[in-house]
Amino acid sequence: MKIYIAKDFFQLSKKAAEIIQDAISEKPDLVLGLATGSTPLGTYKELIRMHKEEKLDFSRVISFNLDEYYPISPENKQSYFYYMKHNFFRHININPENIHVPDGQAEDAESHCKVYEAEIRRHKGIDLQLLGIGENGHIGFNEPDDEIEVLTHLTKLSESTLRANSRFFDSKEKVPCQAITMGLGSIMKAKKILLLASGIKKAEIIAKLLTEQKATTNIPASALLLHNDVTVLLDEEAAGIYKMKIKNQFSEG
Ligand code: F6R
């Protein structure tokens, strides 16, 4: 696991965008896994700048989003489809046919999950997966639990996620209580993973993940400790407790 600590959110976003830019330069038909939420917004902004000012070409890139609320319509401003369209896709030259976001209106969610997983396979898997992390250690909507769902599936959101995500809705009651998400297995099959964490709220979970070095279903992100190509990009705030802990480890040892 490579750990990179950036000065602030802007530098973190710049570094993340550069990693994605390099991957597209190396493989113009990159299969790119994407996340929503607050953390990747700066990365998308920088990628849009690169597209406009440096001609970064997305025309052959194939994207797969991690998750979508269920049920939700793509016109709903809180849907992840809407988020992706307005914060990223409509500003770059990605081919709409190459965009994949789980369908929040699928009549049969379970068979849609199977089709989504098969589509990823048809494209020979995800080359580079961008991830954020929940305060409870979730990735995608893989919430802490006793068991791990391996493939794309319909899931119930945990209380802590409903609370965290209510900031985007009028109230906690308006947050859909289910979502379609790639499973931990779908994520772990990505060839390369880029995990971003920014801000003080992520400091505790990041310190736990990076110092304890234990894989547990109570921290779904800890599965990433088993992957052989993960880059963790933090800003100073998210890295705060981790830095303190490793400093103490050195002074104790
Ligand atoms: C979003 C997703 C979630 C978020 C996580 C962090 O597609 O899969 O796991 O990455 O909840 O969200 P933010 O970035 O808003 O703190």
Side-chain angles (χ1 to χ4, degrees):
M1 198 172 251
K2 281 183 237 137
I3 301 168
Y4 177 93
I5 302 174
K7 192 168 93 229
D8 53 23
F9 181 67
F10 178 73
Q11 294 299 334
L12 171 144
S13 305
K14 213 164 153 262
K15 177 81 182 164
E18 277 164 14
I19 292 174
I20 296 170
Q21 179 186 41
D22 287 349
I24 297 173
S25 308
E26 225 170 83
K27 186 174 185 277
D29 59 347
L30 190 78
V31 182
L32 182 58
L34 295 172
T36 59
S38 313
T39 318
L41 282 174
T43 308
Y44 294 145
K45 211 167 152 196
E46 177 61 9
L47 286 170
I48 293 166
R49 191 202 60 75
M50 287 169 164
H51 168 65
K52 297 208 160 127
E53 293 174 14
E54 298 168 20
K55 308 263 174 301
L56 179 58
D57 181 16
F58 290 88
S59 60
R60 293 174 61 202
V61 169
I62 293 150
S63 74
F64 282 93
N65 263 80
L66 275 173
D67 43 16
E68 176 61 285
Y69 289 115
Y70 187 83
I72 202 159
S73 114
E75 284 88 42
N76 185 321
K77 289 196 170 138
Q78 309 307 337
S79 76
Y80 286 171
F81 183 87
Y82 189 96
Y83 167 110
M84 289 308 301
K85 185 170 164 196
H86 289 269
N87 291 308
F88 193 34
F89 295 148
R90 74 171 184 175
H91 305 285
I92 57 169
N93 66 333
I94 192 165
N95 178 348
E97 282 173 17
N98 291 346
I99 293 173
H100 304 83
V101 179
D103 181 0
Q105 289 189 308
E107 253 174 55
D108 180 347
E110 276 182 28
S111 48
H112 176 64
C113 291
K114 290 198 179 102
V115 171
Y116 201 73
E117 197 68 40
E119 265 299 282
I120 299 176
R121 266 200 314 273
R122 191 171 72 80
H123 288 284
K124 312 238 174 341
I126 290 169
D127 294 307
L128 173 60
Q129 176 67 54
L130 183 64
L131 293 177
I133 182 169
E135 288 163 47
N136 63 358
H138 75 206
I139 48 176
F141 274 124
N142 295 282
E143 302 284 10
D145 207 340
D146 293 339
E147 289 179 338
I148 289 184
E149 280 276 354
V150 175
L151 301 177
T152 302
H153 60 284
L154 184 65
T155 185
K156 257 181 84 172
L157 306 191
S158 71
E159 268 302 310
S160 117
T161 300
L162 287 172
R163 237 187 346 262
N165 289 11
S166 63
R167 67 190 195 275
F168 302 113
F169 290 80
D170 297 337
S171 67
K172 184 175 147 233
E173 289 63 44
K174 292 247 170 83
V175 188
C177 53
Q178 294 185 93
I180 293 175
T181 181
M182 283 188 202
L184 281 183
S186 335
I187 295 170
M188 290 289 284
K189 276 184 245 166
K191 292 168 195 100
K192 186 178 174 72
I193 295 177
L194 188 53
L195 175 75
L196 309 183
S198 161
I200 209 128
K201 284 190 176 162
K202 303 294 167 67
E204 210 165 300
I205 191 68
I206 287 296
K208 209 169 162 56
L209 176 72
L210 299 182
T211 53
E212 291 183 8
Q213 292 284 321
K214 284 196 181 113
T216 159
T217 57
N218 293 323
I219 304 179
S222 65
L224 302 177
L225 297 166
L226 306 168
H227 193 284
N228 65 6
D229 194 351
V230 177
T231 301
V232 180
L233 281 183
L234 308 170
D235 62 11
E236 284 286 350
E237 285 189 350
I241 302 179
Y242 167 65
K243 276 173 75 175
M244 225 159 58
K245 282 199 174 177
I246 51 170
K247 206 163 129 206
N248 288 346
Q249 265 175 19
F250 282 120
S251 51
E252 278 162 20

